[in-house]
């Protein structure tokens, strides 16, 4: 089956530093990648959608300069949280969909703690 | 805009019993997909079942089945013979069908936390 590998699974960083989260599709070409944020006991909130080779489309209220998304290849997308602050602490999940596919494959998530 | 509503924040079921989780949605589209995802404490999103709107037959996956009522825009999940491992957060989700270009995003409901008791 389709697999998306997300790393790291958890990360602790100091306030003001940047953190990069990677999502790789291992056995299919991820033409579209979705990045979500999830607060405890809440639903997934879509942050942005990226298509391979194109600029990401951000949801309203999401700072594109803080959350940099790169989708340079059909198997790799990255989310970089720049100048992280404690309020950026959250659970981040990626989801990939291949062209012509009707299902979405999720990464295992990254728990980010900014101290 | 499409919306997905899960009106049951929490549900509880005894082991081996049956439970039904509710989901309603709002859309003006005629072709779309509906999903139920399970999120256990590990927080990995696991696809439980999916339904194509153009199919009249309700989807079934082992102990999991749906009651898809297109006219009523209702998509409930029935879990039969509940097991302790079924305890999780369950999310209903919707997406439109696109055959070319950009994939449509998933719209999630707020989730239902299912407890399974002995």
């Amino acid at each position: 089956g389709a697999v998306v590998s997300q790393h790291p699974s958890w990360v602790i960083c100091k306030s003001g530093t940047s953190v990069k989260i990677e999502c790789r599709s291992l056995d299919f070409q991820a033409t579209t990648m979705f990045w979500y944020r999830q607060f405890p006991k809440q639903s997934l909130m879509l942050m942005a959608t990226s298509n391979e080779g194109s600029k990401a489309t951000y949801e309203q209220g999401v700072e594109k300069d803080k959350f940099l998304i790169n989708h340079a290849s059909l198997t790799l997308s990255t989310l970089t949280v720049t100048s992280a602050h404690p309020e950026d602490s959250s659970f981040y999940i990626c989801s990939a969909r291949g062209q012509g596919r009707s299902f979405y494959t999720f990464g295992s998530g990254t728990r980010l703690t900014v101290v | 805009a499409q919306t997905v509503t899960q009106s049951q924040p929490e549900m509880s079921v005894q082991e081996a019993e049956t439970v039904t989780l509710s989901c309603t949605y709002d859309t003006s589209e005629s072709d779309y997909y509906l999903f139920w995802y399970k999120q256990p404490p590990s927080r990995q999103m696991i696809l439980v079942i999916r339904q194509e709107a153009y199919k009249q037959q309700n989807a079934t996956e082992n102990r999991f089945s749906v009651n898809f009522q297109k006219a009523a825009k209702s998509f409930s999940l029935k879990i039969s013979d509940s097991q302790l491992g079924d305890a999780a957060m369950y999310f209903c989700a919707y997406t439109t069908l696109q055959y070319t270009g950009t994939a449509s995003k998933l719209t999630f409901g707020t989730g239902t936390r299912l407890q399974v008791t002995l």
Side-chain angles (χ1 to χ4, degrees):
Chain A
V3 177
V4 171
S5 176
Q6 182 171 348
H7 292 283
S9 55
W10 60 270
V11 58
I12 301 174
C13 71
K14 290 185 177 180
S15 187
T17 62
S18 295
V19 174
K20 180 183 285 188
I21 301 170
E22 289 190 352
C23 273
R24 293 180 183 273
S25 57
L26 300 185
D27 50 4
F28 69 100
Q29 294 184 328
T31 50
T32 305
M33 192 74 80
F34 304 89
W35 286 94
Y36 297 87
R37 183 174 182 175
Q38 186 180 32
F39 293 104
K41 298 185 179 181
Q42 292 190 23
S43 188
L44 281 70
M45 182 190 78
L46 181 65
M47 300 174 65
T49 302
S50 71
N51 291 295
E52 184 264 338
S54 302
K55 288 186 178 180
T57 301
Y58 291 81
E59 295 297 301
Q60 192 172 10
V62 178
E63 299 177 61
K64 60 181 180 181
D65 293 331
K66 166 169 271 299
F67 300 100
L68 300 179
I69 291 171
N70 185 285
H71 192 170
S73 79
L74 285 170
T75 59
L76 174 65
S77 178
T78 60
L79 166 67
T80 301
V81 183
T82 63
S83 187
H85 288 93
E87 58 266 30
D88 298 325
S89 298
S90 190
F91 191 70
Y92 294 88
I93 310 175
C94 65
S95 176
R97 180 171 168 177
Q99 189 171 11
R101 290 171 174 253
S102 60
F103 58 87
Y104 302 75
T105 304
F106 287 83
S108 53
T110 298
R111 184 182 305 277
L112 170 64
T113 302
V114 185
V115 297
Chain B
Q2 293 85 6
T3 58
V4 177
T5 302
Q6 292 179 252
S7 59
Q8 306 155 315
E10 289 191 11
M11 292 284 285
S12 183
V13 63
Q14 281 192 321
E15 199 177 17
E17 297 297 308
T18 296
V19 64
T20 298
L21 308 184
S22 300
C23 173
T24 58
Y25 59 95
D26 187 26
T27 183
S28 58
E29 303 287 337
S30 58
D31 288 333
Y32 49 88
Y33 282 100
L34 295 163
F35 304 85
W36 278 99
Y37 283 93
K38 170 185 177 181
Q39 189 179 41
S42 68
R43 303 188 81 171
Q44 171 73 57
M45 294 291 284
I46 301 167
L47 177 64
V48 175
I49 200 166
R50 69 171 187 168
Q51 174 81 44
E52 292 95 329
Y54 65 87
K55 289 187 176 179
Q56 292 186 333
Q57 188 172 7
N58 289 323
T60 299
E61 288 288 342
N62 301 314
R63 298 183 295 108
F64 300 88
S65 61
V66 298
N67 184 1
F68 173 48
Q69 301 291 325
K70 191 173 184 179
K73 296 180 182 175
S74 170
F75 183 60
S76 61
L77 174 69
K78 186 172 81 171
I79 305 175
S80 304
D81 185 25
S82 296
Q83 300 174 1
L84 293 177
D86 295 333
M89 196 76 168
Y90 286 82
F91 293 100
C92 179
Y94 162 100
T95 190
T96 54
L97 268 178
Q98 285 188 351
Y99 297 98
T100 59
T102 306
S104 296
K105 66 180 182 182
L106 278 172
T107 300
F108 286 95
T110 51
T112 297
R113 183 168 301 280
L114 178 65
Q115 288 186 314
V116 181
T117 59
L118 293 170

